[in-house]
Amino acid sequence: MRIRTAPLFFLLLCITSLFAQQPSKPTASEIYHELQKLNFLGSALYIAAHPDDENTRLISYLSNDVKARTAYLSLTRGDGGQNLVGPEIRELLGVIRTQELLAARRTDGGQQLFTRANDFGYSKHPDETLDIWNKNEVLSDVVRAIRKFKPDIIVNRFDHRSPGSTHGHHTSSAMLSFDAFDLVGDATKYPETAKEFGIWQPKRLFFNTSWWFYGSQENFDKADKTNLVEVETGSYYPSLGLSNGEIASLSRSMHKSQGFGSTGSRGRQTEYLEFLKGDFPSEKGNLFDGINTTWTRLEGGAPIGVLLAEVEKEFDFTNPSASVPKLLQAFDLIRKLPEGHWKTVKLEAIKNIIAACTGLYLEAVASEQTVAPKGEVKVTIEAINRSKVSMTLNSVNSTVIAFPNSLMATPLPYNKSYSLESVEQTFSGTEYSAPYWLSKKGTLGMYRVDDKSLIGVPERTNQFPVTFYMTIDGRQISYERNIVYKYNDPVAGEVYRPFEVLPEVTSAISEKVLIFASNDAKEIPVIVRAGRDNISGTVILQHPSGWVVTPAQHSFSISQKGQQQTVIFTVQPPKEQHDGYIKPLVQVGDAYYDTELVTIDYDHIPFQSVLLPSEAKVVHIDIQKKGQHIGYINGAGDAIPESLKQIGYTVTTILPSEITSENLKQFDAIVVGIRAYNTVPELDFKQTELNTYVNNGGTLLLQYNTSRGMNDTELGPLPLKLSRDRVTDENSEVEILAPNHTVLNSPNKITQNDFKNWVQERGLYFPGEWDPAFTPILGMHDKGYPQTKGSLLVAKYGKGHYIYTGLSFFRELPAGVPGAYRLFANLLSLGN
C-alpha cells in the first residue's frame, strides 16, 4: 500500500518570509517524501500566461501524490496587473508577483519557470499579444523551457482554439505550447537550445478544461467526454492532516497582491484534461500511462531502483541516518551512470537526502546584508553533523571570498558545531544582485536578458556560492550554499535576508512625476545613498532642452554605508507645455552611477532590492482648477493623492470610520480609490453618508471596481451595472459624446490632444448599464470591437455631482500624462 505524504517544510516556509533564505531542516516525514520522489522518474510541465493562472490543485497533485517532478511555466511575471498590497505597479509589481509564485511553489512542491515576455496589460486578442511580445522570441523561450526541463507530459491551462474569447495572453500561452510540442523534437528548430539541452519529445499534451470553458455546468455535464481524462485530486495526506485541496488553497493564497486568498477544500475533487497531442493514456486517470517512470528508464538504472525501494521500505522515522549506507551505495551507482538529464537531477536529489538523513547543517553567513563590489565583508561558515555517520569537512572554497588554504581535513563528530571565518574581507563579486531581467532596458513586450543561462529562471540562485567539500562514510561529496545574511529581531527572533551586492552609491528623486502647473521654478531634492563607508563625489542633474537647472553640480560626502545626503536643485520649466525626464548622475572618482535602489518589504515574500534607472518625469502643464480641499478614500492602492498634491490640491485621506455627514462637508470633492468597493467592506455601511454629501452639493468621483463579489447597485446614489468592457489600446480613438458638457470645458478645454500619450490602456471594467440621469461623456473602442460609452459617466444628484469612471487615471497620473491631469482637474472642479 502506498503511503501518501506531503512536504510539510514547503508549507512551513510559506508562513513567513523570515524562512526564505534559511538552510533546509527537513523532518523525517519530509525526508521520506523526498525518498518517494527519488524513485519516480517522470516530469510534468504546466503552462499558462500569468502568476495566479496556474491550477494549484493539479500542480500539488502531480508533485505530492504522483511524485512527479513538476513545474509551472508562467509566460509573464504579472507586471501589468493591479496590486492589492501596496503602491507598486509595472516592473516592481512583477518583482512581487515573481516572489509570490516562488512562495506558491514552495507550498505545493512545484518548480517555477518564466519566459522573457512582459505583461504589458490586458490584450483582447492573441494577434495583438504575439505582435507586442515578439512571437518568435517567446516561442523560443517555451521551446527552451521544454528542452531544459524535459517533461513527459504538458498541461495547458487555456484553450488554443478560442482567440478573442478571453485575455489574449491566455490564448497565446496555449497556442505557443501547442506549437512548441512539435518543435522541441526537431534539432533544426531553435538549434541553439537543441545543441545546449538536446532535443526532446513529450509523450502527450493536455488542456486542463472545466465547466467554465463550456459556459455552464449544465453544458459541461451534457458534453461528450470521450477525449477527456478524469483525474481524482482530492487526496488526503494523514501525516499533515491536510487534503490536496487545502494545500492548493494555501498555495493560491500566496498571490496576495491579486487578492486571491482561497479557502481550503476537502473531499473528492475531479480535474478534467482534454487530450490534444501525443499518445492517449489507456489506463483510466493515469496521466503517465505508458511512460516508464522507474529507474529502468535509464541504462544501468535497475539496481538503483531495487536499492532505493529497500531504503524506502526500511526507512526508520526515528533514525533517518540508518538509511545512509544504502543511500551512499545508490549514490555510487548513480555517479557511474552515463551522463544525462536524469542522472544530473537525481544525483543532486540524493545528495540532499543524504545530508537530510544525517542532519547535516551547512551555512555561510555574511557580517552585513549588503556590500559594494570589492567592498569589505566577513563570511562565517558553520558545519555540524547531527548523526553518528562518519563525516569530515575537507575544505571550504568560494569564488567571491577567501577562506584559509591550509584547512586540514576536519572531522565532524556527532552534534559538535564547527565554524570558520573568511581570511580576507575583500569581496570579489562584482555583479549586482538585483532582479536580472530589469538590468537592461527591454521593449514594451519583452524583457532583455543578455545572459542566456538566465532565460527562464525566476531569479539568480547561488550567486555567491560557498562550496563545502565533504567526506561522508568514505564518499567524496560536495555541497554548495549561497551566502546569506541574518540578524536577531527582538520580536521575530532569527531573521534571514538575502545577501546582496549593490552599487557603492545610488541616487533617487522621491517624486517620480513632477508636475509644473505654472511657470514657477521648483526645488527638487536628490537623495544620494552610500553603499560603502567614506564616499564622496559630485552630482549633476541631466535635463531636457529648454529646462533650466541650477546649480550645475553639487558635491557630497558621506561617512557611513547606508546613510543618505540630500542635495537641492532648482528646476525652471520652459514657458510652453512640455515634458521630459531629469536624471541624477553621480560621479565618484572615475566611475559614474545612475541607478536608484528600491526596496520591497512585505511579510509574505523575501526582502527585495531592485535597481532601476534614477529619473523623474517633469511635466509643464497648462492647467487650471477650481476647488482646493479633496478627500480621498483609499482603495486597493494607487498614487493619485500624491499626483493631486503635485498640481496644488490639498488632499486628506478619509478613513472609513471618518465618513460622516459632518466630516465630509469640508471637502470640495471626494475621490474613491480604485477597487475600493472590492477591498473596503466598511463602504457597504457608509454609502448613505456619501449620497447625502452629493445631495447637499458635493462632488463624488468613484474610480473603477470589478463586479466580482459586489452588489453593483450600491456603488452610489444612482444605479449602474458594471461589465467587463475595457479598452486596452492606449492609442485608441476617443469620441467626445458630450462636447458641450461642463466637464469637457471648464476650467480646461478638453480636446483630442488630451488623449495623446496615454499608457498601457484607456480604461477597464466600464459600466455596461446605467441610470438615465447619467451623461456618457466619451466613446471609445479597440480595433474590431464595438464602441463603449461607459468610461466616464456624470450625473447631477440633488445639488451635487456623481461621477463614475473606469478610465485608468491610476496609471495615467503617476505616468505624468498631461491630458489625464487636465481632465481629472475638470472632474474635481464640477460644482465649484
Side-chain angles (χ1 to χ4, degrees), residues 31 311 468 541 562:
I31 296 170
V311 174
F468 297 75
L541 193 60

Side-chain angles (χ1 to χ4, degrees), residues 141-154:
D141 288 359
V142 176
V143 170
R144 168 186 284 269
I146 295 172
R147 285 173 171 167
K148 184 178 180 181
F149 190 75
K150 295 183 170 32
D152 296 299
I153 64 171
I154 298 176

Side-chain angles (χ1 to χ4, degrees), residues 31-32 34-41 293-296 298 300-315 323-334 337 342 346-347 349-351 353-354 357:
I31 296 170
Y32 183 77
E34 294 305 310
L35 272 173
Q36 291 179 307
K37 296 184 78 170
L38 189 63
N39 257 338
F40 190 93
L41 280 71
T293 60
T294 72
W295 278 96
T296 61
L298 307 182
I304 301 171
V306 172
L307 193 56
L308 290 177
E310 293 175 3
V311 174
E312 187 176 329
K313 181 179 180 181
E314 298 167 359
F315 186 76
S323 298
V324 171
K326 287 188 176 180
L327 284 170
L328 287 170
Q329 292 177 42
F331 174 75
D332 292 338
L333 292 174
I334 295 173
L337 291 174
W342 279 112
K346 295 302 184 181
L347 196 60
I350 197 170
K351 280 173 51 177
I353 291 173
I354 291 168
C357 285

